[in-house]
Amino acid sequence: MSLDRGDVLREAAALLTRRATASMDDIAKAAGISRATLHRHFAGRDALIRALEELCIERSEAALDTARVEEGDAVEALRRLVAALQPVSGFLAFLYGENQLFEGEEVNEGWARLDARLTALFRRGQEQGSFRIDLTPVWLTEALCGLMASAAWGVYDGRLAAKDVEYMVLELLLGGARRRSGDA
């Protein structure tokens, strides 16, 4: 049986999202491999976290491409994006809280690329008259990332159904929490 690096990283992200202080032994056990095997692929915890970061950025960029965020109506592009990001949300949930990734001079350029594309989507939506102009595109980008991470945490904890995430994220992001007249 060959080791699927993506599966190991997915299991690591799921465990670390729930237990940020999990040991490499805990991560190996969650992934169904030995600690020695884990260390052959990742020299230590920092290397594992950096690999998670790279995979998250790669998959997030692929989600942006799949969603064709630069094309058409911004609301429809956002709908496509939330659907495409849902499989990546576990990585986002873990990495969202990993401050070490955003400190110092060695911040991965991938985060800037993702932010730029997301911010451009929200700016385009504002220019099209679809998104509120009293909220900055940067804030809307942060809100989207935060909602995706929160949704993943809710699914991991069994408090949310994965099938409901897309609807709930979009409704809150696009409609806000304020009850509208006529709502049941």
Side-chain angles (χ1 to χ4, degrees):
M1 181 174 128
S2 67
L3 176 71
D4 183 321
R5 184 178 168 97
D7 287 343
V8 171
L9 290 171
R10 234 181 331 280
E11 290 299 325
L15 176 62
L16 290 168
T17 297
R18 293 187 308 274
R19 287 186 28 224
T21 60
S23 68
M24 291 293 277
D25 284 337
D26 295 333
I27 294 166
K29 185 177 178 182
I33 59 175
S34 71
R35 184 172 193 243
T37 300
L38 182 63
H39 276 284
R40 275 196 299 279
H41 291 275
F42 308 101
R45 187 180 181 85
D46 188 57
L48 176 67
I49 289 172
R50 293 296 174 180
L52 283 167
E53 177 185 38
E54 283 298 326
L55 186 59
C56 179
I57 290 169
E58 175 187 307
R59 293 199 175 164
S60 295
E61 287 181 324
L64 286 161
D65 293 341
T66 297
R68 304 175 328 275
V69 295
E70 290 84 9
E71 297 177 19
D73 178 72
V75 172
E76 290 308 311
L78 181 61
R79 289 183 189 286
R80 294 189 302 266
L81 177 60
V82 169
L85 277 176
Q86 191 167 350
V88 182
S89 64
F91 293 111
L92 289 171
F94 168 65
L95 294 171
Y96 203 69
E98 270 304 301
N99 292 341
Q100 76 181 41
L101 298 176
F102 305 101
E103 296 173 350
E105 296 178 22
E106 294 187 36
V107 175
N108 191 313
E109 292 176 8
W111 296 116
R113 288 192 310 269
L114 290 170
D115 280 349
R117 290 180 73 187
L118 290 169
T119 301
L121 168 63
F122 287 114
R123 186 173 292 111
R124 191 173 89 245
Q126 289 174 328
E127 291 166 357
Q128 291 174 348
S130 299
F131 298 149
R132 292 171 53 171
I133 60 171
D134 61 324
L135 303 175
T136 68
V138 169
W139 172 245
L140 293 170
T141 296
E142 293 296 328
L144 172 62
C145 293
L147 286 171
M148 294 303 298
S150 294
W153 288 320
V155 170
Y156 283 146
D157 288 345
R159 295 176 292 119
L160 297 176
K163 68 178 183 60
D164 296 333
V165 166
E166 184 179 339
Y167 173 80
M168 290 189 296
V169 166
L170 284 166
E171 284 301 306
L172 186 55
L173 188 60
L174 293 173
R178 181 179 294 160
R179 187 174 181 170
R180 297 172 291 226
S181 64
D183 285 352

